[in-house]
Amino acid sequence: MPKTPENDRPHPSDQPVPTTVDDVREWLVAAVAEAAGVDPGTVDPDRPIAELGLGSRQLVTLGAGLAELTGRTPDASAVFDHPTVTALAAAALHGPGAGPDPRPDVPAPRPHSGPAGEPPGPVGDDIAIVSMACRFPGGADDPEALWQLLAEGRDAVTDVPPGRWNTDGLHDPDPEAAGTAYSLRGGYLTGIDRFDAPFFGISPREAEAMDPQQRLLLQTAWETVERAGIVPGTLDGTATGVYVGLYDSGYLAAAGLDRLDGHVGTGSASSVASGRIAYSLGLQGPAVTVDTACSSSLVALHLAARALADGTCDLALAGGATLLVTPRGHVEFSRLRGLSPSGRCSPFSADADGVVWAEGCGLVLLKRLADARRDGDRVLAVIKGSAVNQDGRSQGLSAPSGPAQERVLRAALDAAGLRPGDLD
């Protein structure tokens, strides 16, 4: 019978029910060695199992076999929360938290200012969102249109827009076909080639060399300021910060040396995206571009809120943008078999079959809550606290860590002076 992730490990029914951690560790070493095709003696029980080349599907299968062996309910996150054989064995037999991986104590939330069960009163570090603007698929070019899209339950996923990429020979249903994608569907914006360069004082040649993500951010930033009732020109010389989450879109990456004309460097550099907004509006607060992958815009928001709280700036634009200007994300995730063959996201559903990429841009304008109330601003929402961390050594570079993510949630609640029960 050919080897598959379902039969490349010792079957739990062939093993006696373990009574000690050593028993579970022994089974795990043998199962990991079999799945990885290596000698059991080469399996280091204190190194992440994924380092032996096991993919997510094999890891989940391993976890299911372990649950069957120990008589516990399968937990797909167990092999990611406890990345080593030693930690996983202890957790499998005695429950989460039993392994040797330390789980530092998290400070208790600050005392509430009101009676028990009531939300806390105003805190000095509270940050107000006083404006926002966006560009999202499905024609959601402002917050009101986005709300309408959601309220009507419309589907914004489509085929790739004509002219976006050269799609000749790009689609192939075979997930092993190199240089192709088995789905090209996504949440695409329209009109990303349209940009009023003279309005921003940019020459046509420079505009062409600009990553469309920079153009999109510039347009959305201007609108965010206007929607706050502020004439953009009046911010010139003010301590207003810009915090943008962005990743390298690959725009102009294939440009030959003959196309380098003095604008390509700034036009394609992610670091310039925040600086271009600051330059256009004359802002003299921090201008920071953040790339922390999927969390980029939220980390940018966290940094902006901290800068306002400590007085680094008095006003801040925060958010991010992403555009699919090349098909590389579709091709790469087709090789990983992580792209949805159906072209449809089904989160929290048994029908989920992969990711569907989408585009968009969103920015908010932030101000200290006390200043917003003083100035009579319309407060759309209040940020009471936030936190950031890293997963550390989990089950592989791109694998999550449940315990680490629990810690950052607790830290954010602590920063806000809230209990989990305070959240709806």
Side-chain angles (χ1 to χ4, degrees):
M1 183 168 64
K3 180 181 285 190
T4 69
E6 286 72 27
N7 60 39
D8 61 3
R9 56 178 170 80
H11 199 275
S13 63
D14 300 331
Q15 308 291 317
V17 176
T19 57
T20 68
V21 171
D22 287 341
D23 291 337
V24 180
R25 185 187 296 114
E26 182 180 354
W27 184 89
L28 270 172
V29 167
V32 168
E34 180 70 20
V38 299
D39 185 272
T42 65
V43 177
D44 184 342
D46 296 316
R47 298 292 302 174
I49 298 169
E51 290 184 2
L52 292 169
L54 274 65
S56 295
R57 188 178 176 193
Q58 290 173 299
L59 289 168
V60 171
T61 300
L62 181 70
L66 186 58
E68 186 179 343
L69 177 74
T70 57
R72 290 181 174 272
T73 302
D75 178 4
S77 67
V79 290
F80 298 101
D81 294 348
H82 308 280
T84 68
V85 166
T86 300
L88 185 57
L93 198 61
H94 301 303
D101 294 345
R103 300 183 66 179
D105 292 334
V106 177
R110 293 177 295 184
H112 280 225
S113 59
E118 293 185 7
V123 179
D125 287 351
D126 285 357
I127 303 299
I129 297 176
V130 297
S131 179
M132 55 185 175
C134 64
R135 300 285 188 277
F136 290 119
D141 288 340
D142 56 50
E144 293 77 17
L146 175 61
W147 178 258
Q148 197 64 31
L149 174 76
L150 297 172
E152 295 174 1
R154 286 188 278 123
D155 187 351
V157 175
T158 65
D159 292 326
V160 60
R164 176 66 67 90
W165 315 317
N166 179 8
T167 57
D168 292 343
L170 187 59
H171 180 264
D172 192 316
D174 180 5
E176 299 298 331
T180 64
Y182 53 77
S183 172
L184 298 178
R185 290 179 64 78
Y188 298 100
L189 298 182
T190 58
I192 66 169
D193 57 330
R194 296 197 292 269
F195 178 65
D196 191 351
F199 178 83
F200 292 102
I202 298 172
S203 70
R205 190 175 71 170
E206 183 177 3
E208 184 181 359
M210 287 171 59
D211 185 329
Q213 293 180 147
Q214 288 192 19
R215 305 179 208 154
L216 194 60
L217 283 165
L218 202 52
Q219 294 168 320
T220 308
W222 188 279
E223 183 178 326
T224 303
V225 173
E226 284 192 324
R227 290 175 70 91
I230 299 172
V231 176
T234 62
L235 294 180
D236 192 350
T238 63
T240 300
V242 182
Y243 294 82
V244 168
L246 199 68
Y247 86 117
D248 175 19
S249 71
Y251 186 69
L252 290 183
L257 294 178
D258 59 333
R259 293 189 61 189
L260 300 180
D261 60 0
H263 295 301
V264 172
T266 53
S268 59
S270 297
S271 57
V272 175
S274 54
R276 194 180 289 277
I277 294 172
Y279 173 80
S280 178
L281 296 174
L283 312 179
Q284 295 184 358
V288 180
T289 304
V290 177
D291 183 356
T292 56
C294 303
S295 61
S296 297
S297 295
L298 283 177
V299 173
L301 185 68
H302 168 81
L303 295 176
R306 291 299 86 215
L308 286 164
D310 66 22
T312 301
C313 54
D314 300 319
L315 198 65
L317 282 159
T322 188
L323 288 174
L324 304 169
V325 298
T326 77
R328 68 182 187 182
H330 286 74
V331 173
E332 176 75 356
F333 262 67
S334 290
R335 297 296 77 72
L336 295 171
R337 299 197 182 196
L339 202 65
S340 167
S342 64
R344 188 172 298 275
C345 278
S346 302
F348 313 110
S349 169
D351 295 330
D353 61 358
V355 71
V356 177
W357 297 130
E359 305 177 314
C361 179
L363 289 171
V364 294
L365 190 63
L366 305 178
K367 202 172 188 178
R368 286 182 287 272
L369 179 59
D371 293 347
R373 286 174 171 167
R374 178 200 64 202
D375 297 338
D377 294 312
R378 182 186 178 198
V379 176
L380 305 178
V382 175
I383 301 172
K384 298 196 69 65
S386 60
V388 297
N389 77 347
Q390 237 290 346
D391 281 341
R393 196 177 76 165
S394 59
Q395 193 66 271
L397 177 63
S398 59
S401 166
Q405 294 186 8
E406 180 181 331
R407 288 185 202 115
V408 79
L409 290 171
R410 291 184 180 277
L413 287 167
D414 177 55
L418 297 171
R419 302 186 185 97
D422 294 327
L423 305 183
D424 185 351

